[in-house]
Amino acid sequence: IDADTGDLATFINLQSLMEELQATRGVRILIVDACRTRPEVQPAEDPPTGRSVTIVRGGLARIEPRNVPRGMFIAYAAAPGGAAAGGVRLNSPFTAALLRHLYSPALELRRLFTRVRAEVVADTNDKQTPEVVDRLLQEEFVFKAAR
């Protein structure tokens, strides 16, 4: 999503997405690779129509952990107020680290994201720190079981 275009129709409401996930069964994991800098809302006028429009720039607004439903795990690419680096390779530092560990046999979810966090911090020279909100009710979850 390119916030600079001002195309609000392409934005995703994370609160609505969490509500949809909450309605499903099983483990609910939401992974967000986006900036978490404070959004800048800027009113503007659309000259051809004379209508008012709103342009949002700057990233993902903070979702308070207490507003995350029980039974859900959310991983953010950056801490609140932080920017998520795009990287110079095909994937962002966050996505690249996640892909390196996602299918590691028997790697528990929380340990997986601790490794991802450490790699992103190192890869971005301490400029980006991923964050998680863990409201899971079960003890362990792995994406790939041990053989």
Side-chain angles (χ1 to χ4, degrees):
I1 299 171
D2 185 358
D4 290 334
T5 66
D7 184 4
L8 296 178
T10 62
F11 285 80
I12 296 171
N13 182 314
L14 283 182
Q15 192 65 45
S16 296
L17 185 56
M18 286 190 304
E19 289 170 12
E20 285 182 42
L21 285 172
Q22 189 61 22
T24 64
R25 301 180 118 197
V27 175
R28 292 173 288 283
I29 300 169
L30 178 60
I31 300 171
V32 182
D33 189 355
C35 288
R36 297 198 59 200
T37 54
R38 184 179 173 168
E40 174 189 322
V41 179
Q42 188 175 41
E45 292 218 3
D46 184 6
T49 65
R51 294 183 302 191
S52 293
V53 296
T54 303
I55 298 173
V56 178
R57 289 188 172 94
L60 181 66
R62 179 168 176 77
I63 296 174
E64 294 296 326
R66 69 177 177 270
N67 294 332
V68 174
R70 277 190 315 218
M72 190 171 293
F73 183 95
I74 302 177
Y76 297 100
V88 294
R89 296 177 293 275
L90 178 63
N91 294 308
S92 69
F94 177 76
T95 297
L98 178 61
L99 291 173
R100 274 192 289 280
H101 297 288
L102 194 60
Y103 297 108
S104 298
L107 183 58
E108 202 278 325
L109 180 70
R110 293 158 187 95
R111 289 188 67 206
L112 181 148
F113 279 100
T114 298
R115 290 181 184 183
V116 167
R117 182 182 308 114
E119 282 189 30
V120 171
V121 167
D123 195 28
T124 63
N125 295 316
D126 206 21
K127 291 181 180 146
Q128 179 179 337
T129 305
E131 180 182 83
V132 300
V133 176
D134 182 354
R135 304 259 309 173
L136 289 178
L137 300 175
Q138 70 185 68
E139 220 172 288
E140 292 190 1
F141 177 82
V142 297
F143 284 102
K144 183 177 182 180
R147 291 183 137 195

